[in-house]
Structures are given as C-alpha cells and as structure tokens.
Amino acid sequence: MPTRFARLTAPALLAYALLAPMAQGAPHIPASGGAVVERLPRRADPVQRELASLRAQLAASPSDLALATRTAQRYIAVARQETDPRYFGYAQAALAPWWSMAAPPPEVRLLRAILLQSTHHFAEALRDLDAIVAADPANPQAWLTRAIVQTVRGDYQAATASCARLSSLSTELVTITCVANVGAMTGRSAKSEALLEMTLRRNQEADAGMQVWVLTLLGEMAQRRGDARAAEERFRRALALDARDSYLLGAYADFLLDQRRAPEVIALVKDHTRIDALLLRHALALRQGGAAGTGDALRNADAELKARFEAAMRRGDTVHQREQARYELHIRANANNALALAQQNWAVQKESADMIILLEAAAKAGDKAAAAPVIDWVARHALEDVAVARLVKQIRAGA
C-alpha cells in the first residue's frame, strides 16, 4: 500500500458526517470574507486563535490556493467538532475565487464536492467526484465520498464499486466500513454487521473519529434488526469517545425515542438544540413524555422549529425535508403536509429513516399509493429493517 494513502485525511473522514443532515443546519455563506456574522467572546481557545490567524492570512492573500484549501479544511473540521454548520459556509467562502469554476484545481474540487453533499446537491457533488477520480484514480478521499453519496441516493451497485477502489488506497477499516454500509441496505445486513464488528476488533488502534463512525453504524445496524441491547452498547461506546458528535447524538436519540425513553433524550440533547435536528428530537421527546410542566417547553420548541423551517423554505433550503416531515407528522399532526415533504425527500435520498417517515405519513394519511414506491424499493433490495417491515405490514393490512 503506498505510504501516502495509508490513511485518509480529515476531509475524507468527514465525508460521512457531512452526509448527515439530520444533525446539521444549512451553512450560512458570508457575502465576503470581511462580513461580520457574529461577535464571539474573546477566549483563550487555540482553535479560534488558529482560525483567526488563517482568516487574517487569507484576507491578505485571497488567491493563495494552498492557504485557502488549508483554511477550508480547518473550517470543515471545526464544523464537525463544534456541530456548527456555519463553519461550512466559512469553508465555502474561503474557496470563493475558485468556487464557480467549471474545473477548479483538484484540491478545491474535492472540498467543493464535500460541501455540496452537505447541502444535498448530490448530482453536482458527483460531477466533481467523477472528474476527480477520472484524473486521479488513486484518490481515496474522492472514492469514499463518492461511495457515500451513491449509497444515500440508493445507487448501491455504483457505491460497491467505489468502495472496492479503496482496498488498495486506504485502511482495512475504512474499506470494510464503506462496503458494510452498502451491504446493510441490500439484503446482506447480518453478514455486513458481523464483518464490520470483527474488523473493528482487529483495528483498535484506529483514531477516535473513525471508531465513532463505525460504532454508530454498528448501532444503527443492530437497531434495524431489533437488537436493542447491542444497539445501546454500541451507541454508548461511541458516546464515550465523542459525546458531541452530532450525527451520533441524533441516532442515539432516535433509538431512545423508539424505546419510549423520552427523559433520556431530553437530557442527551438539551445542550445541543441550536442544531435543528436535535431541537426536533428535543420536541419529539417532550411530546412523547407528556409530563406535567412540559407544555411551555414544547410550545417554545414548536415555535422555534416552525420559524427555522419557514426560514429554510424561504432560502430554498431543502436539506431538512426529512426532519420537517417528522415535525409536521409528530408535532403538528398534519399527515398530508408530512407526506408531501417525505415524498420530496424520498426523491433525493433513500436511507432507512427516509423510508420510515414516508411510510408513517402515508399510513396516517391513509394513502397506500404514496407508500408504494418505498414498499417496492424494500422488496427489490431485500432491505432488512424491523421498523420498516412493521410499517409495510401495517399499510398492506390497511390499518
């Protein structure tokens, strides 16, 4: 294995996280590098000092390609660490001189693809990724990002091919995680889960970020087959490594909601409600808990979510259609609105959560025809998910 491909760098390991819109807001893109978005308190934070230094250098030399890409990479990394989507916008602003080029420099093109996927511009991201791998077939970051986009879109054959290219370019754990993520959606769930778990045990030296990704996937796999004990154990192991990972927090919150453990959800996300998707989990837990004294809290969460979703719609932001559909169905009890949003979301991405909200909304709306595309998809790809199977059975029975 060539030394320089022995492991992926930060942007590639962030690719999966950026594809988790449930735990992110849409990035705000400043009009210029000098725009003041928010005044932050001065503090002895080495990360903020580093970013301030990079901003100052870039302001003085905005056309310095190496400096711009380094700045964008740091912003992407901080967006992940801080669960703050505004940093994605800052990353895009750093790349402004090259952002609109048809064929920007390869390093900009890869970062652009990663940022495009974070806002569900999947077709545009794939165009960039296709161009990168055509010019540089030994680019592991591009192959991984490409595989993840293809999996989210439901293009499993292409995703498997992209994952296969990683075998000689990256670590065993990255390659098997990529392959297992596809297999879990295509009738090979048990084998994929067992292989991934075994590979993780063999690679305990992997860094914390990689382990969190793998453990979160394993938790979701166990949850989909109905093994609550294994799912919880894996989610908790991941949380012990990174209690701020926004995708992980959303996944574990959904698991707890499925287990009717609303108070634990409230405790889990209470300090993260500036993230739209985690505010939604907070509201869902308040609704589910129904305890005395939560009325005002639920009304406040409802009003805040309504304002955020309306603002997103005014911006033309469609990243949160899955979350907005859940909001309309479970908080607002508007099945028709929820179904319309879920159908729009289904046209873009095809993960288990996308199937569940569309099926739930179709069941509530009494619209079997709306559920048909998902039911057909599940049968065609032999998807194994107890929650999806339960909803399909319910709809077929006409309940």
Side-chain angles (χ1 to χ4, degrees):
M1 183 186 302
T3 302
R4 72 191 183 95
F5 296 129
R7 54 177 291 158
L8 300 183
T9 54
L13 289 179
L14 286 169
Y16 178 71
L18 292 178
L19 280 169
M22 59 176 283
Q24 299 167 0
H28 169 70
I29 303 169
S32 73
V36 177
V37 178
E38 181 176 1
R39 296 286 184 186
L40 298 175
R42 293 185 180 276
R43 53 181 175 166
D45 184 334
V47 172
Q48 292 302 325
R49 286 202 304 269
E50 179 191 4
L51 291 175
S53 174
L54 288 170
R55 283 196 300 272
Q57 294 176 59
L58 193 58
S61 304
S63 298
D64 185 328
L65 177 62
L67 177 60
T69 54
R70 186 165 74 252
T71 301
Q73 287 174 355
R74 284 300 292 137
Y75 274 130
I76 291 172
V78 174
R80 171 68 165 158
Q81 293 160 0
E82 299 295 324
T83 61
D84 190 337
R86 291 174 299 180
Y87 288 104
F88 297 141
Y90 304 154
Q92 181 172 335
L95 303 174
W98 307 274
W99 184 265
S100 298
M101 289 182 177
E107 53 269 56
V108 172
R109 199 163 203 166
L110 178 59
L111 291 169
R112 184 170 71 179
I114 290 172
L115 291 166
L116 284 169
Q117 65 174 335
S118 76
T119 53
H120 286 190
H121 289 88
F122 295 142
E124 295 90 334
L126 281 174
R127 279 199 294 271
D128 275 341
L129 294 165
D130 288 347
I132 293 167
V133 298
D136 180 13
N139 190 317
Q141 298 179 10
W143 285 115
L144 175 62
T145 309
R146 191 171 183 263
I148 294 169
V149 173
Q150 289 163 334
T151 303
V152 171
R153 297 184 76 186
D155 189 352
Y156 303 126
Q157 184 175 355
T160 300
S162 293
C163 290
R165 298 300 294 263
L166 289 169
S167 61
S168 62
L169 303 175
S170 186
T171 65
E172 176 193 40
L173 186 56
V174 169
T175 303
I176 296 303
T177 303
C178 186
V179 171
N181 193 36
V182 181
M185 299 298 293
T186 53
R188 303 188 301 276
S189 184
K191 290 181 179 178
S192 297
E193 184 180 341
L195 176 61
L196 184 55
E197 186 174 28
M198 180 178 64
T199 306
L200 178 60
R201 285 199 300 268
R202 283 203 304 263
N203 290 271
Q204 291 300 307
E205 77 287 353
D207 65 41
M210 188 70 215
Q211 291 191 56
V212 168
W213 175 19
V214 175
L215 285 167
T216 304
L217 285 177
L218 284 169
E220 292 176 317
M221 289 176 181
Q223 183 180 2
R224 286 199 293 267
R225 64 180 170 81
D227 188 340
R229 180 177 296 180
E232 176 139 25
E233 186 268 338
R234 291 162 178 176
F235 286 136
R236 286 188 173 277
R237 282 170 59 195
L239 284 167
L241 292 169
D242 187 353
R244 291 173 52 83
D245 184 290
S246 57
Y247 184 90
L248 168 60
L249 289 170
Y252 186 43
D254 284 340
F255 167 79
L256 293 172
L257 287 167
D258 286 348
Q259 298 291 308
R260 311 293 299 179
R261 292 159 60 181
E264 293 174 66
V265 176
I266 294 169
L268 181 71
V269 304
K270 63 182 176 62
D271 295 328
H272 304 280
T273 54
R274 62 190 173 84
I275 301 167
D276 297 353
L278 298 183
L279 175 60
L280 173 64
R281 271 62 175 189
H282 180 70
L284 292 170
L286 290 170
R287 170 71 75 188
Q288 185 183 100
T294 63
D296 287 344
L298 180 56
R299 281 190 291 274
N300 291 338
D302 181 1
E304 180 65 21
L305 282 166
K306 183 174 184 291
R308 293 188 194 184
F309 286 133
E310 287 177 350
M313 291 174 70
R314 286 194 297 271
R315 293 193 303 268
D317 169 13
T318 60
V319 170
H320 294 299
Q321 286 177 329
R322 179 202 297 172
E323 284 65 45
Q324 190 173 359
R326 291 182 68 180
Y327 166 73
E328 289 288 344
L329 185 63
H330 299 298
I331 304 297
R332 287 275 165 166
N334 191 325
N336 290 328
N337 282 0
L339 181 56
L341 287 161
Q343 288 174 311
Q344 292 167 35
N345 175 66
W346 177 251
V348 177
Q349 56 181 23
K350 295 173 172 59
E351 298 181 287
S352 282
D354 306 303
M355 301 177 198
I356 288 169
I357 185 56
L358 198 156
L359 293 172
E360 285 179 333
K364 284 288 186 181
D367 191 339
K368 282 189 175 183
V374 174
I375 294 173
D376 292 345
W377 183 275
V378 170
R380 189 181 328 128
H381 297 286
L383 179 79
E384 299 162 285
D385 185 315
V386 294
V388 171
R390 182 171 59 250
L391 286 163
V392 168
K393 182 179 180 180
Q394 175 186 340
I395 290 168
R396 282 177 168 162

